[in-house]
């Protein structure tokens, strides 16, 4: 239930992909990823079914699903059901799986598609776009969009690098109508912000309406934060078909940070680039305006020297003299709470987690950082009050717009260092600063920076597809599904 309650806190719906695999060790010591016993995965599947029934009683959209890998030759797929009566079917081939599910309300979503063919990369030659109307373009593995773009597939190094032939663009080049999503492949917490999420453009929040959007390909994916994206050509939405010739292009983007550029791709090649950076920075702000800024918590001391600091609890609040409009959760692990929120402020409790993966003092020691993106409406002279662990940090809107600042628990780190190392006084404060827990308040973006509206005529080429990539200045990306030309 911890997973379920966390998912409800960070997502609007949850297609859960149960994993019926585990590492089996042979007598000689070889580690093989293999199916667990049928008795075990069937028992687990009933637990998923019970959770689905509980979600249905609560009226929250929850889709039963599981990961299918077959013999590796067709690529991994996540199978999802509309109804709660589906079963786990595990044939070795994709087309056998498709045939076995004929007549069922089920889809199979290609997962981390860009790996080597035959070794869990997608086999587009056996693809069925009716059975698999959407495909994963980004996940914790990285970006499967192509073989040479940003965010390479290096997070799961053992699976090898991405290549052409299996990536999303290779499947689209074969003429398939394939809409896109991003999804986590998270084995530690659902809805991990840093590993991507999907958006379904549904008529309402019901399970049936969301399923209709998935089936129709009215979807898009984001790499991290919830970039709002609406994109039509000739009035046709993502996943739909527009007539050839001159058609009205409409793009509406509401970012979570300043938008850098929007690319319109025709048949996977950039057709137009709408550069937003440089178009707004010299524009005078109105007396009252909206803006967004992110506060991110984490970092901390070397765990080999201070092993008791694997987690850190942050209790705080944001109070505004103006209007707090929205709060977006950028959460990556359990232990997060948004306790109270209204137009004048909010209260929160966050827990950050630290690991030390390399075993080296100067190696990477990543922290699972947590935070929020706040949207506020006020004036340039307003001062917000951010309180963290009992200490007040005034945030002048004028300063927020100028750049990013970092704050630390410096005194606490200094006391901890000298208690552990009484002779550590030095002409530089590296040891203290490196050991301090920190949080940063990122540069604020006014609404003119994060909202883009484009309306123009576009001459559609017969047989072509058109999709968008949205790039924010902070590195977050959104990928739209295509609109197709007849």
């Amino acid at each position: 239930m911890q997973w379920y309650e966390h998912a409800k806190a960070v997502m609007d719906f949850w297609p859960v992909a149960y994993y019926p695999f585990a590492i089996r060790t042979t007598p000689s010591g070889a580690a093989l990823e293999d199916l667990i016993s049928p008795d075990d995965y069937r028992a687990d599947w009933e637990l998923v079914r019970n959770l689905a029934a509980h979600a249905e009683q609560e009226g929250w959209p929850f889709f039963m699903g599981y990961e299918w890998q077959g013999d590796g030759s067709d690529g991994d797929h996540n199978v999802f059901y509309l109804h709660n009566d589906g079963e786990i079917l595990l044939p070795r081939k994709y087309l056998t799986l498709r045939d076995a599910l004929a007549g069922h309300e089920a889809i199979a979503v290609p997962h981390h598609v860009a790996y080597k063919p035959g070794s869990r990369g997608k086999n587009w030659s056996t693809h069925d776009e009716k059975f698999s109307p959407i495909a994963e373009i980004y996940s914790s593995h990285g970006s499967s969009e192509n073989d040479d773009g940003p965010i390479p597939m290096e997070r799961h190094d053992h699976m090898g690098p991405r290549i052409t032939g299996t990536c999303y663009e290779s499947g689209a080049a074969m003429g398939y109508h394939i809409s896109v999503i991003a999804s986590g492949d998270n084995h530690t917490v659902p809805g991990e912000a840093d590993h991507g999420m999907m958006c379904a453009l549904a008529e309402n929040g019901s399970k049936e309406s969301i399923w209709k959007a998935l089936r129709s390909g009215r979807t898009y994916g984001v790499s991290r934060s919830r970039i709002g994206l609406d994109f039509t050509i000739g009035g046709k939405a993502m996943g739909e078909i527009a007539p050839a010739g001159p058609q009205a292009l409409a793009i509406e983007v509401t970012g979570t940070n300043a938008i850098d550029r929007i690319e319109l791709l025709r048949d996977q090649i950039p057709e137009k680039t709408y550069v937003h950076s440089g178009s707004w920075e010299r524009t005078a702000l109105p007396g009252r305006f909206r803006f967004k800024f992110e506060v991110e918590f984490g970092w901390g001391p070397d765990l080999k020297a201070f092993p008791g600091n694997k987690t850190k609890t942050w209790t705080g609040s944001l109070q505004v003299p103006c209007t707090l409009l929205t709060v977006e959760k950028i959460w990556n692990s359990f232990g997060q709470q948004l306790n109270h929120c209204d137009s004048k402020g909010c209260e929160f409790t966050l827990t950050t987690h630290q690991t030390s993966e390399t075993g080296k003092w100067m190696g990477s020691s990543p922290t699972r950082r947590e935070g929020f993106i706040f949207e506020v409406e006020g004036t340039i002279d307003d001062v917000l009050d951010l309180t963290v662990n009992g200490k007040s940090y005034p945030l002048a809107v004028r300063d927020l717009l100028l750049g990013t600042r970092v704050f630390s628990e410096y005194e606490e780190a200094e006391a901890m260092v000298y208690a552990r190392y009484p002779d550590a006084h030095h002409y530089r404060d590296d040891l203290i600063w490196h050991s301090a827990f920190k949080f940063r308040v990122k540069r604020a973006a006014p609404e003119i920076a994060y909202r883009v509206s484009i309306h123009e005529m576009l001459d559609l080429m017969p047989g072509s597809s058109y999709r968008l990539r949205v790039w924010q200045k902070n590195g977050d990306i959104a990928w739209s599904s295509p609109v197709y030309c007849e």
Side-chain angles (χ1 to χ4, degrees), residues 87 95 188 191 240 254 294 380 389 435 447 480:
E87 299 295 343
L95 292 179
T188 55
E240 296 183 335
T254 303
E294 182 175 346
I380 193 75
N389 291 343
S435 300
E447 185 175 22
S480 85

Side-chain angles (χ1 to χ4, degrees), residues 94-112:
Y94 170 79
L95 292 179
T96 307
L97 176 69
R98 178 203 62 182
D99 293 344
L101 290 173
H104 295 267
E105 279 290 354
I107 59 174
V109 181
H111 170 44
H112 55 54

